[in-house]
Coordinates of all heavy atoms in Angstrom, one line a residue:
Y210 N -8.9 0.8 -13.9 CA -7.7 0.1 -13.3 C -6.4 0.8 -13.6 O -5.5 0.9 -12.8 CB -7.7 -1.3 -13.9 CG -6.7 -2.2 -13.2 CD1 -7.1 -3.0 -12.1 CD2 -5.4 -2.3 -13.6 CE1 -6.2 -3.8 -11.4 CE2 -4.5 -3.1 -12.9 CZ -4.9 -3.9 -11.8 OH -4.0 -4.7 -11.1
A211 N -6.3 1.5 -14.8 CA -5.1 2.2 -15.1 C -5.0 3.4 -14.2 O -3.8 3.7 -13.8 CB -5.3 2.7 -16.6
F212 N -6.1 4.1 -13.8 CA -6.0 5.2 -12.8 C -5.5 4.6 -11.5 O -4.7 5.3 -10.8 CB -7.3 5.9 -12.7 CG -7.3 6.9 -11.6 CD1 -6.5 8.0 -11.7 CD2 -8.1 6.7 -10.4 CE1 -6.5 9.0 -10.7 CE2 -8.1 7.7 -9.4 CZ -7.3 8.8 -9.5
R213 N -6.0 3.5 -11.1 CA -5.6 2.9 -9.8 C -4.1 2.6 -9.9 O -3.4 2.9 -8.9 CB -6.4 1.7 -9.5 CG -6.2 1.2 -8.0 CD -7.1 0.1 -7.6 NE -6.7 -1.2 -8.2 CZ -7.1 -2.4 -7.7 NH1 -7.9 -2.4 -6.7 NH2 -6.7 -3.5 -8.2
A214 N -3.6 2.1 -11.0 CA -2.2 1.8 -11.1 C -1.4 3.1 -11.1 O -0.3 3.1 -10.5 CB -2.0 1.0 -12.5
Y215 N -1.9 4.1 -11.6 CA -1.3 5.5 -11.6 C -1.1 5.9 -10.1 O 0.0 6.3 -9.7 CB -2.1 6.5 -12.3 CG -1.7 7.9 -12.1 CD1 -0.5 8.4 -12.5 CD2 -2.6 8.8 -11.5 CE1 -0.1 9.7 -12.4 CE2 -2.2 10.1 -11.3 CZ -1.0 10.6 -11.7 OH -0.6 11.9 -11.5
L216 N -2.1 5.7 -9.3 CA -2.0 6.0 -7.9 C -0.9 5.2 -7.2 O -0.1 5.7 -6.5 CB -3.3 5.8 -7.2 CG -4.5 6.7 -7.6 CD1 -5.7 6.3 -6.7 CD2 -4.2 8.2 -7.3
F217 N -1.0 3.9 -7.5 CA -0.1 2.9 -6.8 C 1.4 3.3 -7.2 O 2.3 3.3 -6.4 CB -0.4 1.5 -7.3 CG -1.7 0.9 -6.7 CD1 -2.6 1.7 -6.0 CD2 -1.9 -0.4 -6.8 CE1 -3.7 1.2 -5.5 CE2 -3.1 -1.0 -6.2 CZ -4.0 -0.2 -5.6
N218 N 1.6 3.5 -8.5 CA 2.9 3.8 -9.0 C 3.5 5.0 -8.4 O 4.7 5.1 -8.1 CB 3.0 3.8 -10.5 CG 2.7 2.5 -11.2 OD1 2.9 1.5 -10.6 ND2 2.2 2.6 -12.4
T219 N 2.6 6.0 -8.3 CA 3.1 7.3 -7.7 C 3.4 7.1 -6.2 O 4.5 7.6 -5.7 CB 2.0 8.4 -7.8 OG1 1.6 8.5 -9.2 CG2 2.4 9.7 -7.2
W220 N 2.6 6.4 -5.5 CA 2.9 6.2 -4.0 C 4.2 5.4 -3.9 O 5.0 5.7 -3.1 CB 1.7 5.4 -3.4 CG 0.5 6.2 -3.1 CD1 0.5 7.5 -2.8 CD2 -0.8 5.8 -3.1 NE1 -0.8 8.0 -2.6 CE2 -1.6 6.9 -2.8 CE3 -1.5 4.6 -3.4 CZ2 -3.0 6.8 -2.7 CZ3 -2.9 4.5 -3.3 CH2 -3.6 5.6 -3.0
R221 N 4.3 4.3 -4.7 CA 5.6 3.5 -4.6 C 6.8 4.3 -5.0 O 7.8 4.2 -4.3 CB 5.5 2.3 -5.6 CG 4.6 1.2 -5.1 CD 4.8 -0.1 -5.9 NE 4.0 -1.2 -5.3 CZ 2.8 -1.5 -5.7 NH1 2.2 -0.9 -6.8 NH2 2.1 -2.5 -5.1
R222 N 6.7 5.1 -6.0 CA 7.9 5.9 -6.4 C 8.4 6.8 -5.3 O 9.6 6.9 -5.0 CB 7.5 6.7 -7.7 CG 8.6 7.4 -8.3 CD 8.2 7.9 -9.7 NE 7.1 8.8 -9.7 CZ 5.9 8.5 -10.3 NH1 5.7 7.3 -10.8 NH2 4.9 9.4 -10.3
V223 N 7.4 7.5 -4.6 CA 7.8 8.4 -3.6 C 8.3 7.6 -2.3 O 9.3 8.0 -1.7 CB 6.7 9.3 -3.2 CG1 7.1 10.3 -2.0 CG2 6.2 10.2 -4.4
A224 N 7.6 6.6 -2.0 CA 8.1 5.8 -0.8 C 9.5 5.2 -1.0 O 10.3 5.2 -0.1 CB 7.1 4.6 -0.6
H225 N 9.8 4.8 -2.3 CA 11.1 4.2 -2.5 C 12.2 5.3 -2.4 O 13.3 5.1 -2.0 CB 11.2 3.6 -3.9 CG 10.4 2.3 -4.0 ND1 9.9 1.8 -5.1 CD2 10.1 1.4 -3.0 CE1 9.3 0.6 -4.9 NE2 9.4 0.4 -3.6
R226 N 11.8 6.6 -2.8 CA 12.7 7.7 -2.7 C 13.1 7.9 -1.3 O 14.2 8.4 -0.9 CB 12.2 8.9 -3.3 CG 12.1 9.0 -4.8 CD 12.2 10.4 -5.4 NE 11.1 11.2 -4.9 CZ 10.1 11.5 -5.7 NH1 9.9 11.0 -6.9 NH2 9.1 12.3 -5.2
Y227 N 12.2 7.6 -0.4 CA 12.4 7.9 1.1 C 13.0 6.6 1.8 O 13.1 6.6 3.0 CB 11.1 8.2 1.7 CG 10.8 9.7 1.7 CD1 10.4 10.3 0.5 CD2 10.8 10.5 2.8 CE1 10.2 11.7 0.4 CE2 10.5 11.9 2.8 CZ 10.2 12.4 1.6 OH 9.9 13.8 1.5
G228 N 13.3 5.6 1.0 CA 13.9 4.4 1.6 C 13.0 3.5 2.3 O 13.4 2.7 3.1
F229 N 11.7 3.5 1.9 CA 10.7 2.6 2.5 C 10.6 1.3 1.7 O 10.9 1.3 0.5 CB 9.3 3.2 2.6 CG 9.1 4.2 3.7 CD1 9.9 5.4 3.7 CD2 8.2 4.0 4.7 CE1 9.7 6.3 4.8 CE2 8.0 4.9 5.7 CZ 8.8 6.1 5.8
V230 N 10.3 0.2 2.4 CA 10.2 -1.1 1.7 C 8.7 -1.6 1.9 O 8.0 -1.2 2.9 CB 11.2 -2.1 2.3 CG1 12.6 -1.8 2.0 CG2 11.0 -2.3 3.8
E231 N 8.3 -2.4 1.0 CA 6.9 -2.8 0.9 C 6.6 -4.1 1.7 O 7.4 -5.0 1.7 CB 6.4 -2.9 -0.5 CG 4.9 -3.0 -0.8 CD 4.5 -2.7 -2.2 OE1 5.4 -2.5 -3.1 OE2 3.3 -2.6 -2.5
W232 N 5.4 -4.1 2.3 CA 5.0 -5.3 3.0 C 3.5 -5.6 2.7 O 2.8 -4.7 2.1 CB 5.2 -5.2 4.5 CG 4.3 -4.1 5.1 CD1 4.5 -2.7 5.1 CD2 3.1 -4.3 5.8 NE1 3.5 -2.1 5.7 CE2 2.6 -3.0 6.2 CE3 2.4 -5.4 6.2 CZ2 1.4 -2.8 6.9 CZ3 1.2 -5.2 6.9 CH2 0.7 -3.9 7.3
E233 N 3.0 -6.7 3.1 CA 1.5 -7.0 3.0 C 1.1 -7.8 4.1 O 1.8 -8.5 4.8 CB 1.3 -7.6 1.6 CG -0.2 -7.9 1.3 CD -1.1 -6.7 1.3 OE1 -1.4 -6.2 2.5 OE2 -1.5 -6.1 0.3
A234 N -0.3 -7.8 4.3 CA -0.9 -8.6 5.4 C -2.1 -9.3 4.8 O -2.6 -9.0 3.7 CB -1.3 -7.7 6.5
P235 N -2.6 -10.3 5.5 CA -3.9 -11.0 5.1 C -5.0 -10.0 5.0 O -5.1 -9.0 5.8 CB -4.1 -12.0 6.1 CG -2.8 -12.2 6.8 CD -2.1 -10.9 6.8
T236 N -6.0 -10.2 4.1 CA -7.2 -9.4 4.0 C -8.1 -9.7 5.1 O -8.9 -8.8 5.5 CB -7.9 -9.7 2.7 OG1 -7.0 -9.5 1.6 CG2 -9.1 -8.7 2.4
V237 N -8.0 -10.9 5.7 CA -8.9 -11.3 6.8 C -8.1 -11.5 8.1 O -7.0 -12.1 8.0 CB -9.7 -12.5 6.5 CG1 -10.5 -13.0 7.7 CG2 -10.6 -12.3 5.3
E238 N -8.5 -10.9 9.2 CA -7.8 -11.1 10.5 C -8.8 -11.5 11.5 O -10.0 -11.4 11.4 CB -7.1 -9.8 10.9 CG -6.0 -9.3 10.0 CD -4.6 -9.9 10.4 OE1 -4.6 -10.9 11.2 OE2 -3.6 -9.2 10.0
A239 N -8.3 -12.0 12.7 CA -9.1 -12.3 13.8 C -9.7 -11.0 14.3 O -9.0 -10.0 14.4 CB -8.3 -12.9 14.9
T240 N -11.0 -11.0 14.6 CA -11.7 -9.7 15.0 C -11.1 -9.1 16.3 O -11.0 -7.9 16.4 CB -13.2 -10.0 15.3 OG1 -13.8 -10.5 14.0 CG2 -13.9 -8.8 15.7
E241 N -10.6 -10.0 17.1 CA -10.0 -9.5 18.4 C -8.8 -8.5 18.1 O -8.6 -7.6 18.9 CB -9.4 -10.7 19.2 CG -8.9 -10.3 20.5 CD -8.3 -11.5 21.3 OE1 -8.3 -12.6 20.7 OE2 -7.8 -11.3 22.4
L242 N -8.1 -8.7 17.0 CA -7.0 -7.8 16.7 C -7.5 -6.3 16.6 O -6.8 -5.4 17.0 CB -6.4 -8.2 15.4 CG -5.2 -7.4 14.9 CD1 -4.0 -7.6 15.8 CD2 -4.9 -7.7 13.4
Y243 N -8.7 -6.1 16.1 CA -9.2 -4.8 15.9 C -9.9 -4.3 17.2 O -10.1 -3.0 17.3 CB -10.2 -4.7 14.7 CG -9.5 -5.2 13.4 CD1 -9.9 -6.3 12.8 CD2 -8.4 -4.5 12.9 CE1 -9.2 -6.8 11.7 CE2 -7.8 -4.9 11.8 CZ -8.2 -6.1 11.2 OH -7.5 -6.5 10.0
L244 N -10.4 -5.2 18.0 CA -11.1 -4.7 19.2 C -10.2 -4.4 20.3 O -10.5 -3.8 21.3 CB -12.1 -5.8 19.6 CG -13.2 -6.2 18.6 CD1 -14.1 -7.3 19.2 CD2 -14.0 -5.0 18.2

């Protein structure tokens, strides 16, 4: 889990340097969305 957090923290750090903001979506979607 610590390694995963290391990946996450690195990605967030660089994204923030570029002026990106974070969002999230549901883990489950209507299948039609992908088809």
